[in-house]
Amino acid sequence: MTFRAVETLKSVDYIACEDTRHTLQLLNHFEIKKPLISCRAQNEKFAGEKILKLLDDGFSVAYASDAGTPGISDPGAVLVDIVRENGHEIVPIPGPAAFATLVSVAGSGGKTLIFEGFLSPKPGKRRTRLKELMQTGDAIIIYESPFRIVKLLTDVADIDSKRRVVVGRELTKLHEEILSGTAEDVKNDFAQRTSIKGEFAIFISGVKKIQNSDESTDK
């Protein structure tokens, strides 16, 4: 937590959050007592209207997602649209983001980086989309749950076993782990584990693109 984030939570009238239980633990740690509003993926539009009413009445509201940045594979985008469309100011408060954290240690990102977030849990759709992404030749970042991480890494290894992969587990949290290697080696490491817990961010390196001969010559 940054000083700015703590001061923001102290200064607002209400705090909307993805999970009131998780945010309450954070607030208790910093001895902050504020009314909480549940605003999760399942009720974001309804909660957004409630938050909008508070803003219209002159109150200030902060929004906190559970363990990442709002709007990046976390709730928040719908709320932002509702608030902005009704003329209220939105101020971003930077915080932990698995995407940015993993990029900073992955290396070899190239000029273009594709952020895909969570792929489909359906095996066929997941593999098809993953193949499309890897065929672009650009670096990719994907989020995945502990229940499907081995399946995802297996798909990556099947498509290109030598592609470089960096896996971040529980990034910015107490049990943070970063593992780097070929897709095959990283897959084998996780496949041998008896217990896998935590949230995952996966960096898949790009490949150098071969320029067409007619494009490489000066006109």
Side-chain angles (χ1 to χ4, degrees):
M1 287 288 286
T2 64
F3 289 117
R4 183 185 180 192
V6 174
E7 288 304 313
T8 298
L9 294 176
K10 286 181 177 179
S11 65
V12 296
D13 299 308
Y14 291 85
I15 298 174
C17 42
E18 182 179 0
D19 190 319
T20 55
R21 296 166 300 176
H22 291 171
T23 301
L24 184 59
Q25 292 179 12
L26 177 69
L27 298 178
N28 287 340
H29 177 77
F30 290 106
E31 299 181 344
I32 300 172
K33 293 184 178 181
K34 299 287 179 176
L36 300 181
I37 303 169
S38 172
C39 182
R40 57 192 191 280
Q42 294 80 2
N43 76 336
E44 192 171 355
K45 190 175 187 303
F46 174 79
E49 297 295 340
K50 182 178 180 180
I51 293 167
L52 178 61
K53 177 64 166 58
L54 290 172
L55 295 172
D56 287 340
D57 289 343
F59 294 103
S60 57
V61 183
Y63 179 71
S65 52
D66 282 355
T69 300
I72 303 180
S73 287
D74 268 324
V78 173
L79 175 60
V80 164
D81 284 342
I82 292 172
V83 171
R84 177 173 287 122
E85 288 170 2
N86 286 274
H88 292 285
E89 183 182 10
I90 301 165
V91 180
I93 308 296
F99 170 83
T101 303
L102 190 60
V103 171
S104 70
V105 297
S108 307
K111 288 181 64 177
T112 303
L113 178 64
I114 300 172
F115 174 68
E116 183 72 6
F118 287 94
L119 293 172
S120 172
K122 297 181 179 179
K125 287 186 176 181
R126 180 181 64 239
R127 181 181 286 262
T128 297
R129 180 57 180 155
L130 188 58
K131 190 173 183 178
E132 291 173 350
L133 291 167
M134 292 177 66
Q135 285 176 341
T136 67
D138 295 319
I140 308 153
I141 284 192
I142 293 168
Y143 286 171
E144 192 51 276
S145 74
F147 310 107
R148 292 189 296 272
I149 183 63
V150 174
K151 295 176 182 177
L152 174 67
L153 292 172
T154 299
D155 287 342
V156 175
D158 287 347
I159 295 169
D160 186 349
S161 63
K162 300 302 181 183
R163 190 75 69 96
R164 181 170 166 271
V165 170
V166 182
V167 175
R169 183 178 72 87
E170 292 291 273
L171 293 175
T172 77
K173 303 177 195 175
L174 180 63
H175 301 292
E176 177 179 283
E177 176 187 12
I178 298 173
L179 184 66
S180 176
T182 66
E184 186 71 23
D185 289 342
V186 174
K187 178 205 72 173
N188 290 338
D189 183 290
F190 280 97
Q192 293 170 7
R193 302 188 184 193
T194 56
S195 176
I196 300 178
K197 297 179 180 180
E199 296 281 335
F200 288 86
I202 304 94
F203 172 92
I204 304 171
S205 70
V207 293
K208 291 183 179 180
K209 299 175 183 178
I210 301 174
Q211 201 171 26
N212 292 333
S213 58
D214 58 340
E215 295 177 351
S216 61
T217 57
D218 292 333
K219 301 291 185 179

